[in-house]
Amino acid sequence: MEGAGLAESGRGRERVELIARTAVRVIAREGLRGLTHRAVDRAAGLPDGSTSYHARTRARLLEITLEHMAAEEQQALTAFFADAPPTRTEAARLLAEFVHTSVHTSAERTLARFELALEASRRPELRRIYDRAGARFRDTAEATLRGLGSPAPERHTRSLIAWCEGMVLDSVAGAGTAAPPTLDDLHTGAAELLNALLPPLPQ
Amino acid sequence: MEGAGLAESGRGRERVELIARTAVRVIAREGLRGLTHRAVDRAAGLPDGSTSYHARTRARLLEITLEHMAAEEQQALTAFFADAPPTRTEAARLLAEFVHTSVHTSAERTLARFELALEASRRPELRRIYDRAGARFRDTAEATLRGLGSPAPERHTRSLIAWCEGMVLDSVAGAGTAAPPTLDDLHTGAAELLNALLPPLPQ
């Protein structure tokens, strides 16, 4: 939690979180092009000028939005991987649930996260926030794969994250959106992938 | 090739292609927010008003851009999978090369494609173009997996495409951009995935 915005306390802090949460919704629905201080004021039901007061610049608005999302994803990640270390079967289930939740329960946050990922390719200050959040996810995945006996944890982490991200992207914005994968399909797919990466289980 | 724009012939058609190609670059560098008719005129070195002449509305500009990208990707896909059906080893190599090319040679087109995929989640007319292009890719992948003996070609196609898309996204805009995967890594990863999906090869 860095920067003036999120260092505010009490009511100011709640206000910043409302702004960030609303910005996620605006980005998901209208793209980054639709994200203006005024659009956030209106969507949040705040008086004109509120968003500008807490996030002077557009860059700052993007930052507090991404910081908010990163904190939420961190909470979700911790909740999903609370009881370490999972068995291979549990890991497949957790991955499937994580993808399923990203596609269904958190579709707006997911869309906004992809928008900000692309924007981060053009904005080093966003890149840093995105990478910090990504590193936590990556570290958790790598520790899990290592615990499960992966012989190449770094490369396998990349494969695993690619599969998850690709499944999520394809489900919210890809040509496969007509029929997003069921939880069962995701479970089978995650198990297949883990079996590909990890040594054979003892019979 | 649909719509008035791409139905033009000769010089008009070349102009439309220049506009579409330039729009890809503008989107990659500045996001959809930076995409205006005037920005395309300037980046293409065309007289003011040229882009408006060939694509009256913003929606039409997005359409000709996506149609152009879809046609290019179709060409690339055909080139990659020209000699059907590939063996499993060849398929792993082709997938690795496809991802590698998307990340390196065609990074701008790749970034623009993801931007338009997200925009398509909000615009049914783009969705249709995107889905048509995606279906060609999907059909090629499914036919290949079927030819290689996949027992669940539809689900496996989804996994394979997710892995490719995730690898590409992570390499151009994810937290893993610091060190994009090498061609060797991609080759190993694609082979692992195919081995996970397909029946064991005879020893």
Side-chain angles (χ1 to χ4, degrees):
Chain A
M1 295 298 174
E2 292 175 7
L6 290 182
E8 300 187 50
S9 61
R11 190 155 169 275
R13 191 186 165 111
E14 275 173 33
R15 182 58 56 95
V16 170
E17 290 196 350
L18 171 62
I19 288 170
R21 218 163 46 232
T22 308
V24 167
R25 212 166 69 225
V26 171
I27 295 171
R29 294 186 185 170
E30 300 171 44
L32 280 173
R33 191 159 163 263
L35 184 74
T36 61
H37 287 78
R38 178 163 293 191
V40 175
D41 286 342
R42 289 188 181 166
L46 290 170
D48 279 1
S50 305
T51 300
S52 292
Y53 176 79
H54 291 280
R56 296 268 165 211
T57 61
R58 182 179 169 81
R60 185 69 197 132
L61 179 55
L62 292 173
E63 281 176 31
I64 65 170
T65 305
L66 188 52
E67 277 165 4
H68 164 80
M69 286 172 47
E72 275 201 342
E73 299 237 325
Q74 169 71 357
Q75 275 181 11
L77 188 67
T78 308
F80 269 104
F81 289 90
D83 306 313
T87 63
R88 190 183 303 196
T89 309
E90 284 161 357
R93 187 180 51 75
L94 290 171
L95 287 168
E97 282 173 9
F98 196 77
V99 171
H100 199 256
T101 301
S102 300
V103 172
H104 296 281
T105 320
S106 328
E108 290 198 328
R109 189 171 74 204
T110 299
L111 278 169
R113 183 166 66 73
F114 286 130
E115 292 278 358
L116 289 171
L118 295 173
E119 185 71 6
S121 74
R122 298 179 284 266
R123 287 181 184 263
E125 73 279 13
L126 282 190
R127 180 84 277 154
R128 281 190 293 275
I129 305 172
Y130 198 90
D131 286 355
R132 216 158 47 223
R136 285 194 296 259
F137 197 93
R138 229 159 266 271
D139 291 348
T140 305
E142 193 172 326
T144 303
L145 284 168
R146 213 178 277 279
L148 293 173
S150 159
E154 200 176 332
R155 186 167 51 71
H156 286 171
T157 297
R158 202 190 276 271
S159 262
L160 191 68
I161 288 180
W163 184 85
C164 290
E165 286 285 78
M167 274 291 177
V168 172
L169 179 68
D170 194 48
S171 300
V172 297
T177 44
T182 64
L183 188 56
D184 273 356
D185 280 348
L186 290 168
H187 195 171
T188 310
E192 264 170 356
L193 181 63
L194 287 174
N195 285 334
L197 305 179
L198 301 172
L201 283 173
Q203 296 296 312
Chain B
M1 297 297 176
E2 291 177 6
L6 291 181
E8 299 186 52
S9 61
R11 188 153 172 276
R13 194 187 163 110
E14 275 173 32
R15 183 58 57 95
V16 169
E17 290 196 351
L18 171 62
I19 287 169
R21 219 163 44 235
T22 307
V24 167
R25 211 165 69 225
V26 170
I27 296 171
R29 293 187 186 170
E30 300 171 46
L32 280 172
R33 192 158 162 266
L35 183 74
T36 61
H37 287 78
R38 178 161 294 191
V40 175
D41 285 342
R42 293 192 176 163
L46 290 170
D48 278 1
S50 307
T51 300
S52 293
Y53 177 78
H54 291 280
R56 297 268 164 208
T57 61
R58 180 179 170 81
R60 185 68 198 132
L61 179 56
L62 291 173
E63 282 175 31
I64 64 168
T65 305
L66 188 51
E67 278 165 3
H68 163 80
M69 286 172 46
E72 275 202 342
E73 300 237 323
Q74 170 71 358
Q75 275 181 11
L77 189 67
T78 308
F80 269 105
F81 289 90
D83 306 314
T87 63
R88 190 184 301 195
T89 310
E90 285 161 357
R93 187 180 50 75
L94 290 171
L95 286 168
E97 282 173 9
F98 198 77
V99 171
H100 199 255
T101 300
S102 300
V103 172
H104 295 281
T105 320
S106 328
E108 289 198 329
R109 188 171 77 204
T110 299
L111 278 169
R113 183 166 66 74
F114 286 131
E115 292 278 358
L116 289 171
L118 294 173
E119 186 71 5
S121 74
R122 297 179 284 267
R123 287 182 184 261
E125 72 280 12
L126 282 188
R127 179 84 276 153
R128 280 190 294 273
I129 305 172
Y130 198 90
D131 286 357
R132 217 159 45 224
R136 285 195 296 258
F137 196 94
R138 229 158 267 269
D139 291 348
T140 304
E142 194 171 326
T144 303
L145 283 168
R146 213 179 276 277
L148 292 173
S150 159
E154 198 175 335
R155 186 167 51 70
H156 286 172
T157 297
R158 201 190 276 274
S159 262
L160 192 69
I161 288 180
W163 185 84
C164 289
E165 284 285 77
M167 274 292 178
V168 172
L169 178 69
D170 194 47
S171 300
V172 297
T177 43
T182 64
L183 188 56
D184 273 356
D185 280 349
L186 290 168
H187 195 169
T188 310
E192 264 170 356
L193 182 63
L194 287 175
N195 285 333
L197 305 179
L198 301 172
L201 283 174
Q203 296 298 312

